[in-house]
């Protein structure tokens, strides 16, 4: 399996707090990785550093072998838009836009004309069980539906890596289970790697690997076989 995203010797400090104390990690194509650990252990900092949102104080992040941690802000934000997709806990959809335009937005930001972007966006609705909801605004969607629209939006540009930070944190258990099942299966089918921060062991169990983070370090690393 070829490595999509790699990090070596990642260190990040906030004042006297060491959020990352030397993390090494490799993520392969079709890999899905859950990052778990106690609150304050460095999970979000790790996700944000891998995704080029936070710059490490030391160490390197490589996408397909090319360093990205030292890119200028403009190149880094273009890379995030094109090569990465993001799913957050909630509140990421624009309330005034129909679902299909929310999904089309990253494509339009890349210069795809509106009509073609919406047409491409609509292709994600059936695989995510959202058929018929294309014209609904986020306020007219359930929490689980809105999260599936957010997943469609994260996948719209056919990214190399999808990053999800507590993607089921605002959902009840059953809805969260359905959302994570779709997140992992549709991301894998698209050919993207997946990195999920979660405190929920049921969510992590859908991922191929689980990393435990403690005090800014990887404390254990388990390999699962996803059936
Ligand atoms: P987790 O996601 O596991 O809860 P974080 O990565 O958010 O952990 O935080 C790791 C440590 O870094 C914590 O001690 C947190 O308080 C600190 N930290 C994170 N972000 C910042 C920031 N922007 N400014 C100051 N301290 C921060």
């Amino acid at each position: 399996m070829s490595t999509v995203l790699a990090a070596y010797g990642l260190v990040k400090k906030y004042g006297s707090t060491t959020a990352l104390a030397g993390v090494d990690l490799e993520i392969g194509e079709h890999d899905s990785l859950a990052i778990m650990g106690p609150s304050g252990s460095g999970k979000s900092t790790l996700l944000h550093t891998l995704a080029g949102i936070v710059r490490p104080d030391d160490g390197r992040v490589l996408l397909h072998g090319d360093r990205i941690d030292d890119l200028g802000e403009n190149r880094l934000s273009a890379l995030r838009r094109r090569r990465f997709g993001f799913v957050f806990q909630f509140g990421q959809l624009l309330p005034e836009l129909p679902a299909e335009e929310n999904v089309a937005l990253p494509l339009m930001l890349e210069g795809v004309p509106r009509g073609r972007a919406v047409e491409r966006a609509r292709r994600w609705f059936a695989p995510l069980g959202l058929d018929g909801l294309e014209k609904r605004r986020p306020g007219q969607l359930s929490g689980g539906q809105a999260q599936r629209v957010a997943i469609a939006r994260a996948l719209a540009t056919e990214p190399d890596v999808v990053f999800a930070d507590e993607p089921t944190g605002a959902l009840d258990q059953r809805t969260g289970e359905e959302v994570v099942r779709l997140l992992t299966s549709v991301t894998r089918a698209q050919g993207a790697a997946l990195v999920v921060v979660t405190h929920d062991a049921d969510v992590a169990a859908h991922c191929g690997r689980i990393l435990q983070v403690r005090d800014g370090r990887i404390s254990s690393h388990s390999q699962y076989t996803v059936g």
Side-chain angles (χ1 to χ4, degrees):
M1 185 160 63
S2 71
T3 301
V4 176
L5 191 66
Y8 302 108
L10 283 188
V11 172
K12 180 68 190 177
K13 294 183 181 172
Y14 293 106
S16 59
T17 303
T18 301
L20 297 179
V23 172
D24 299 311
L25 186 61
E26 290 182 348
I27 300 162
E29 272 173 1
H30 309 289
D31 212 356
S32 56
L33 180 73
I35 301 174
M36 299 193 77
S39 179
S41 58
K43 303 182 296 295
S44 299
T45 305
L46 177 56
L47 181 111
H48 291 149
T49 308
L50 291 172
I53 296 168
V54 162
R55 273 183 209 276
D57 296 319
D58 202 359
R60 291 170 293 150
V61 181
L62 295 93
L63 180 65
H64 290 296
D66 296 323
R67 265 188 94 162
I68 63 166
D69 58 276
D70 59 355
L71 292 176
E73 201 43 57
N74 287 346
R75 287 190 60 196
L76 200 51
S77 73
L79 181 138
R80 281 195 303 263
R81 273 204 315 273
R82 286 184 198 136
R83 313 282 297 273
F84 295 158
F86 294 93
V87 181
F88 300 108
Q89 191 166 348
F90 52 73
Q92 53 206 311
L93 300 177
L94 294 179
E96 64 275 20
L97 292 184
E100 63 185 15
E101 288 188 35
N102 265 288
V103 176
L105 206 56
L107 295 166
M108 290 193 258
L109 288 173
E110 284 307 304
V112 179
R114 191 181 161 286
R116 267 192 47 217
V118 170
E119 189 187 306
R120 274 176 63 184
R122 283 191 193 129
R123 295 182 203 155
W124 294 101
F125 279 67
L128 286 159
L130 291 167
D131 251 345
L133 303 180
E134 291 84 349
K135 305 282 184 207
R136 295 244 189 123
R137 284 171 213 282
Q140 301 168 307
L141 298 171
S142 70
Q145 289 167 343
Q147 226 27 7
R148 283 182 273 145
V149 172
I151 293 168
R153 186 168 74 173
L155 288 165
T157 56
E158 300 176 18
D160 296 350
V161 186
V162 172
F163 294 96
D165 197 350
E166 298 285 5
T168 63
L171 305 174
D172 64 63
Q173 191 68 28
R174 197 177 58 79
T175 310
E177 155 87 25
E178 187 185 15
V179 164
V180 73
R181 192 173 49 72
L182 285 165
L183 172 65
T184 49
S185 62
V186 178
T187 301
R188 194 173 296 129
Q190 198 277 310
L194 176 65
V195 182
V196 185
V197 165
T198 182
H199 64 269
D200 185 337
D202 292 336
V203 169
H206 281 83
C207 294
R209 288 194 287 155
I210 300 179
L211 276 191
Q212 293 284 349
V213 178
R214 199 168 279 267
D215 297 331
R217 296 178 193 280
I218 294 172
S219 63
S220 79
H221 197 157
S222 43
Q223 191 95 35
Y224 278 62
T225 308
V226 177

